[in-house]
């Protein structure tokens, strides 16, 4: 079983993912926002790659059960109901809602992997659940780090390295690519103190400067939920256990 890690989504074309099991990671913060929304009963999230598409789609979906969520430059977009802080996606706001979701990198990374046979969303908060799910995978695994504006993000690669390392504990048949080996090594050093690593990361500093320090703490926690969001057609839903 091959396991590869893409440090940015731009490393591959959409069709590269056909027939593969993919995992999208955007630790700061789209992964955690999606996981939290689904954990709090959102019906689905519809990832989009532009704000215009978000607005157009939401107009065509019916009324009160559809809301708009996401960010531009870390902040809620004008006219949107919610931003991209996991704290905003509480049960009272999202239960049974369809959420049209745009973020700078995360929603686009999900769309990049849309042709995958299976696509799951992972953060530190649902790590063990995703590891266990990948333990059952029979197709090659591609971990897509969302990165930032086409560049490398430390927090995504450390999380990917942890996922690859934990999976190797339950699967003897993993064949790591060079990037997977590098990410596993990075996790062993930079992953020793996840909160510190997030605080010192480029995007972590931007989030702190914009008043989102609490989000870093939230995103640093390990295994606080067993919820796995997955892409079904064009929408992200709750993967229910078999
Ligand atoms: C993204 O998708 O780029 C991030 O989730 C941005 C953010 O932290 O809001």
């Amino acid at each position: 079983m091959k396991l590869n890690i893409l440090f940015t989504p731009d490393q591959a074309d959409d069709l590269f993912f056909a027939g593969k099991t993919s995992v999208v990671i955007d630790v700061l913060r789209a992964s955690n926002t999606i996981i939290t929304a689904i954990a709090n009963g959102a019906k689905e999230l519809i990832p989009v790659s532009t704000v215009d598409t978000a607005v157009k789609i939401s107009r065509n979906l019916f009324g009160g059960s559809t809301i708009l969520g996401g960010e531009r430059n870390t902040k809620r977009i004008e006219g949107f109901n919610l931003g991209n802080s996991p704290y905003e996606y509480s049960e009272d706001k999202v239960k049974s809602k369809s959420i049209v979701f745009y973020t700078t990198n995360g929603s686009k990374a999900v769309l990049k992997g849309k042709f995958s046979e299976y696509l799951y969303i992972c953060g530190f908060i649902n790590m063990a659940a995703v590891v266990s799910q990948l333990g059952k995978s029979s197709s090659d695994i591609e971990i897509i780090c969302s990165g930032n504006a086409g560049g490398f993000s430390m927090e995504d690669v450390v999380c990917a390295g942890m996922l690859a390392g934990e999976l190797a504990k339950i699967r003897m048949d993993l064949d790591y690519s060079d990037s997977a080996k590098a990410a596993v090594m990075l996790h062993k050093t930079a992953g020793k103190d996840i909160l510190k690593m997030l605080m010192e990361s480029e995007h972590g500093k931007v989030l702190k400067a914009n008043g989102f320090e609490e989000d870093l703490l939230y995103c640093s926690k390990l295994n606080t939920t067993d919820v796995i969001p997955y892409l079904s057609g064009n929408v992200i839903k709750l993967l229910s256990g078999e």
Side-chain angles (χ1 to χ4, degrees):
M1 165 86 42
K2 288 193 179 140
L3 186 150
N4 181 43
I5 296 178
L6 299 160
F7 290 163
T8 77
D10 298 352
Q11 279 181 253
D13 293 324
D14 301 15
L15 285 172
F16 171 78
F17 300 97
K20 312 255 183 84
T21 293
S22 299
V23 180
V24 170
I25 296 179
D26 185 358
V27 174
L28 296 177
R29 297 164 290 176
S31 283
N32 296 286
T33 302
I34 294 168
I35 297 162
T36 303
I38 294 289
N40 285 334
K43 182 177 168 223
E44 61 199 6
L45 288 94
I46 304 151
V48 294
S49 58
T50 67
V51 173
D52 273 1
T53 315
V55 173
K56 275 181 201 143
I57 288 183
S58 70
R59 266 195 220 122
N60 295 333
L61 296 174
F62 20 161
S65 60
T66 301
I67 58 177
L68 283 162
E71 57 72 39
R72 202 186 251 149
N73 300 324
T74 78
K75 300 273 175 46
R76 180 164 60 85
I77 299 160
E78 209 185 316
F80 276 38
N81 308 82
L82 301 171
N84 190 29
S85 169
Y87 286 108
E88 293 177 78
Y89 289 68
S90 51
E91 193 174 337
D92 58 315
K93 302 252 177 54
V94 303
K95 195 169 174 55
S96 306
K97 302 278 188 198
S98 294
I99 305 168
V100 181
F101 190 65
Y102 168 87
T103 68
T104 313
N105 304 287
S107 63
K108 293 171 195 161
V110 173
L111 291 171
K112 174 54 77 107
K114 64 182 177 295
F115 293 128
S116 306
E117 188 175 7
Y118 301 101
L119 185 149
Y120 307 115
I121 311 292
C122 181
F124 291 109
I125 65 169
N126 70 345
M127 174 65 62
V130 176
V131 169
S132 160
Q133 182 62 28
L134 292 182
K136 299 180 236 167
S137 174
S138 54
S139 44
D140 289 341
I141 297 168
E142 298 290 337
I143 305 178
I144 308 170
C145 297
S146 299
N148 196 7
F152 180 100
S153 280
M154 177 71 111
E155 65 278 10
D156 293 341
V157 178
V158 169
C159 186
M162 181 171 198
L163 182 56
E166 291 298 305
L167 190 58
K169 293 181 186 164
I170 60 164
R171 288 193 77 130
M172 300 303 119
D173 60 344
L174 283 187
D175 176 13
Y176 286 163
S177 66
D178 284 358
S179 59
K181 285 179 196 159
V184 170
M185 283 184 223
L186 193 61
H187 169 253
K188 282 186 184 149
T189 51
K192 278 190 184 133
D193 184 338
I194 295 172
L195 181 57
K196 184 167 180 282
M197 180 270 297
L198 295 185
M199 292 280 191
E200 289 172 359
S201 68
E202 288 176 27
H203 192 56
K205 287 181 193 162
V206 172
L207 287 171
K208 261 198 291 180
N210 283 282
F212 294 113
E213 193 161 344
E214 279 298 308
D215 287 3
L216 301 190
L217 186 61
Y218 187 97
C219 299
S220 73
K221 298 263 166 68
L222 200 54
N223 301 328
T224 53
T225 177
D226 57 7
V227 160
I228 306 176
Y230 82 107
L231 190 68
S232 168
N234 296 323
V235 299
I236 300 169
K237 293 179 178 240
L238 172 68
L239 181 72
S240 41
E242 295 110 68

